[in-house]
Amino acid sequence: MESIWTKDVEMPQFPPLDADGKTDTLIIGGGMAGLLCGYFLNKKGVDYMILEKDRICGATTGNTTAKITTQPGLIYSKTHRRYGPDHARRYLEANKLALEIYKEICNEIDCDFKVCDNYIYAMDQEGSRRVREEVEAVRALGGSAVFTEKTELPFPVTGAIKTDNQACFHPLKFACEISRGQKIYENSFVRHIKKQANGKGYEVIVNAGEGSLGRHGHEYKVMADRVIVCTHYPVFNLHGMYFVKLYQYRSYVVVLKADTYSFPHDMYASCDNCAVSLRRYKDYLLVGGCGGKTGSNSGGMAHLKARARELFPYAQVVGEFANQDCMSLDGLPYVGHYSPKTEDLFVASGFSKWGMNGSMMAALALTGNMPEEQAEVMRPDRKMVNRQFFKNVLSADKSMLTPTTPRCRHLGCALKWNEEEQSWDCPCHGSRYDADGNILNNPTQNVL
């Protein structure tokens, strides 16, 4: 499966690390979050470097639907109930800032940036009630939203929250432009990280050079005063307890094209997981849906294709791709100190299917370009033990005790065979392997 974004873009190539080094800020991971961190640090003249184990934007960023919106699902009513109105207001302001900065940057570069409206819609009366509740919450927080029953969708809805003047773009064209002039090293795999002997900063061991992940022939050492981990899923287990604070979710997208059919122009997402999301790109329509927790064998591409043909019978399926998202316990990202004990180690993760917003907010917060009161709402050590926390723990315990093979090389959970994607999937923490045991998705870092 090849993403639509890779068809008309040749990503720039960067050399592997070829010597020991020292830097003020080391960014681990060259996806959208890592590149944006580097972009802002570069503008400030900060000494930094980005280490990417493979190629920049070669995983999650290259398989996104690239929606940018201040309304990432029905999040504000939920956040208001859990944390109070001030917390919800600050998160709304953080999302507004992210959208504003995207508009500023995209005004200067060619990345097929498009301003459009965003809809989160419902298919039943309970969903409609939740949508109305969200509209009221957003308005009370000072945001702009309206309830509507009118959409471009080829099926009836019971209601939707409409947010004007949102955006979408070509994520790889954007990434190409912001990566120019950055200090990036590709094929540079971070194998180990530890505190420096003097207790200040970190010593990072890197395997670099051409070859398979983790089998690079040259080992180098980078000393960094500050480290930002932007590896999608936090791959270092020592701190933060992310293996119980996150689960991974598989998402599927089919690409439609039709010469005479009029596709919806705005962006759409369902308020539950049983309906489709839509986003237009030129003459194409990206239809997403039929996803599920990694390792659950729910949904799948075949189901999504059938649904897309049902909704748009005159369109042709011209592409398909899949993605994997890190879901937080409360729907808000984890951005800030990796743990309370890691003063100079930071993390950006848990974007919960809204990676473009999450990446920008994370980069702004971690480079000092976001007001502290907004950044604070995303701190990873916030208290949020809830039903999902216990589900994550029970799921991991059950899989670890299942006496079957093969086992995940991350924390030893029993893997499940995904017949449709021909992969071994971990239901605990979302690692995936091909039939030969090669890594497809982290958090596992251990090669055969």
Short mmCIF file of all heavy atoms in Angstrom, two decimals, residues 44-67:
data_model
loop_
_atom_site.label_atom_id
_atom_site.label_comp_id
_atom_site.label_asym_id
_atom_site.label_seq_id
_atom_site.Cartn_x
_atom_site.Cartn_y
_atom_site.Cartn_z
N LYS A 44 15.53 30.07 15.58
CA LYS A 44 16.05 30.74 16.77
C LYS A 44 17.57 30.71 16.84
O LYS A 44 18.16 31.33 17.73
CB LYS A 44 15.48 30.09 18.03
CG LYS A 44 14.01 30.38 18.29
CD LYS A 44 13.59 29.82 19.64
CE LYS A 44 12.18 30.28 20.01
NZ LYS A 44 11.81 29.86 21.38
N GLY A 45 18.20 29.95 15.94
CA GLY A 45 19.65 29.84 15.98
C GLY A 45 20.17 28.92 17.06
O GLY A 45 21.34 29.00 17.45
N VAL A 46 19.32 28.02 17.54
CA VAL A 46 19.72 27.06 18.57
C VAL A 46 20.53 25.93 17.93
O VAL A 46 20.22 25.47 16.82
CB VAL A 46 18.48 26.48 19.28
CG1 VAL A 46 18.86 25.37 20.25
CG2 VAL A 46 17.72 27.59 20.01
N ASP A 47 21.56 25.47 18.62
CA ASP A 47 22.35 24.32 18.15
C ASP A 47 21.54 23.05 18.39
O ASP A 47 21.19 22.72 19.52
CB ASP A 47 23.67 24.26 18.90
CG ASP A 47 24.52 23.07 18.49
OD1 ASP A 47 24.51 22.73 17.29
OD2 ASP A 47 25.16 22.47 19.37
N TYR A 48 21.22 22.32 17.31
CA TYR A 48 20.38 21.13 17.43
C TYR A 48 20.74 20.15 16.31
O TYR A 48 21.45 20.48 15.36
CB TYR A 48 18.89 21.50 17.31
CG TYR A 48 18.47 21.78 15.88
CD1 TYR A 48 17.83 20.80 15.12
CD2 TYR A 48 18.78 22.99 15.26
CE1 TYR A 48 17.47 21.04 13.80
CE2 TYR A 48 18.42 23.24 13.95
CZ TYR A 48 17.77 22.26 13.22
OH TYR A 48 17.44 22.48 11.91
N MET A 49 20.23 18.95 16.42
CA MET A 49 20.28 17.99 15.32
C MET A 49 19.09 17.05 15.43
O MET A 49 18.54 16.86 16.52
CB MET A 49 21.59 17.19 15.29
CG MET A 49 21.78 16.23 16.44
SD MET A 49 23.20 15.10 16.21
CE MET A 49 24.57 16.23 16.33
N ILE A 50 18.67 16.49 14.28
CA ILE A 50 17.59 15.51 14.23
C ILE A 50 18.18 14.17 13.79
O ILE A 50 18.90 14.11 12.78
CB ILE A 50 16.49 15.93 13.24
CG1 ILE A 50 15.83 17.24 13.69
CG2 ILE A 50 15.43 14.84 13.11
CD1 ILE A 50 14.82 17.79 12.69
N LEU A 51 17.89 13.12 14.53
CA LEU A 51 18.29 11.76 14.16
C LEU A 51 17.05 10.97 13.76
O LEU A 51 16.10 10.86 14.54
CB LEU A 51 19.00 11.06 15.32
CG LEU A 51 20.31 11.69 15.81
CD1 LEU A 51 20.88 10.88 16.98
CD2 LEU A 51 21.34 11.77 14.68
N GLU A 52 17.04 10.43 12.55
CA GLU A 52 15.94 9.63 12.04
C GLU A 52 16.47 8.24 11.70
O GLU A 52 17.45 8.10 10.98
CB GLU A 52 15.32 10.30 10.81
CG GLU A 52 14.43 9.42 9.97
CD GLU A 52 13.27 8.79 10.73
OE1 GLU A 52 12.64 9.50 11.54
OE2 GLU A 52 13.01 7.59 10.51
N LYS A 53 15.79 7.21 12.20
CA LYS A 53 16.30 5.84 12.02
C LYS A 53 16.23 5.37 10.58
O LYS A 53 16.97 4.47 10.18
CB LYS A 53 15.54 4.87 12.92
CG LYS A 53 14.08 4.69 12.55
CD LYS A 53 13.38 3.73 13.50
CE LYS A 53 11.92 3.53 13.13
NZ LYS A 53 11.23 2.62 14.06
N ASP A 54 15.33 5.96 9.78
CA ASP A 54 15.17 5.54 8.39
C ASP A 54 15.20 6.78 7.50
O ASP A 54 16.24 7.38 7.30
CB ASP A 54 13.88 4.74 8.24
CG ASP A 54 13.75 4.05 6.90
OD1 ASP A 54 14.73 4.06 6.13
OD2 ASP A 54 12.67 3.50 6.62
N ARG A 55 14.04 7.16 6.92
CA ARG A 55 13.91 8.37 6.12
C ARG A 55 12.89 9.30 6.78
O ARG A 55 11.93 8.83 7.39
CB ARG A 55 13.44 8.04 4.70
CG ARG A 55 14.39 7.18 3.88
CD ARG A 55 15.63 7.96 3.47
NE ARG A 55 15.30 9.24 2.84
CZ ARG A 55 14.86 9.38 1.59
NH1 ARG A 55 14.69 8.33 0.81
NH2 ARG A 55 14.60 10.60 1.10
N ILE A 56 13.08 10.60 6.66
CA ILE A 56 12.15 11.53 7.28
C ILE A 56 10.74 11.33 6.71
O ILE A 56 10.56 11.09 5.53
CB ILE A 56 12.59 12.99 7.11
CG1 ILE A 56 12.68 13.39 5.63
CG2 ILE A 56 13.90 13.26 7.83
CD1 ILE A 56 12.85 14.89 5.42
N CYS A 57 9.76 11.41 7.59
CA CYS A 57 8.33 11.30 7.24
C CYS A 57 8.02 10.01 6.49
O CYS A 57 7.10 9.97 5.67
CB CYS A 57 7.89 12.52 6.42
SG CYS A 57 8.04 14.07 7.31
N GLY A 58 8.75 8.95 6.78
CA GLY A 58 8.55 7.70 6.08
C GLY A 58 7.50 6.80 6.69
O GLY A 58 7.21 5.73 6.15
N ALA A 59 6.91 7.21 7.79
CA ALA A 59 5.92 6.35 8.47
C ALA A 59 4.60 7.09 8.64
O ALA A 59 3.90 7.33 7.68
CB ALA A 59 6.48 5.88 9.81
N THR A 60 4.28 7.50 9.86
CA THR A 60 2.97 8.07 10.15
C THR A 60 2.68 9.32 9.34
O THR A 60 1.58 9.48 8.78
CB THR A 60 2.87 8.39 11.66
OG1 THR A 60 3.18 7.21 12.41
CG2 THR A 60 1.47 8.84 12.02
N THR A 61 3.63 10.24 9.25
CA THR A 61 3.38 11.50 8.55
C THR A 61 3.03 11.28 7.09
O THR A 61 2.18 11.98 6.53
CB THR A 61 4.61 12.43 8.66
OG1 THR A 61 4.87 12.70 10.04
CG2 THR A 61 4.38 13.73 7.93
N GLY A 62 3.65 10.29 6.47
CA GLY A 62 3.39 10.02 5.06
C GLY A 62 2.09 9.29 4.80
O GLY A 62 1.71 9.09 3.64
N ASN A 63 1.39 8.91 5.87
CA ASN A 63 0.14 8.17 5.71
C ASN A 63 -1.04 8.85 6.41
O ASN A 63 -2.05 8.22 6.70
CB ASN A 63 0.30 6.75 6.26
CG ASN A 63 1.21 5.90 5.41
OD1 ASN A 63 0.86 5.50 4.30
ND2 ASN A 63 2.43 5.66 5.89
N THR A 64 -0.91 10.13 6.65
CA THR A 64 -1.97 10.89 7.30
C THR A 64 -2.97 11.40 6.27
O THR A 64 -2.68 11.44 5.08
CB THR A 64 -1.37 12.08 8.07
OG1 THR A 64 -2.42 12.83 8.68
CG2 THR A 64 -0.64 13.01 7.12
N THR A 65 -4.15 11.81 6.74
CA THR A 65 -5.08 12.52 5.86
C THR A 65 -4.84 14.03 5.91
O THR A 65 -5.46 14.78 5.16
CB THR A 65 -6.55 12.22 6.24
OG1 THR A 65 -6.74 12.50 7.62
CG2 THR A 65 -6.89 10.78 5.94
N ALA A 66 -3.96 14.48 6.81
CA ALA A 66 -3.44 15.85 6.84
C ALA A 66 -4.53 16.91 7.02
O ALA A 66 -4.55 17.92 6.34
CB ALA A 66 -2.62 16.14 5.58
N LYS A 67 -5.42 16.66 7.98
CA LYS A 67 -6.41 17.67 8.36
C LYS A 67 -5.84 18.55 9.47
O LYS A 67 -5.17 18.05 10.38
CB LYS A 67 -7.69 17.01 8.86
CG LYS A 67 -8.39 16.13 7.84
CD LYS A 67 -9.59 15.45 8.48
CE LYS A 67 -10.34 14.54 7.52
NZ LYS A 67 -11.46 13.84 8.18
#
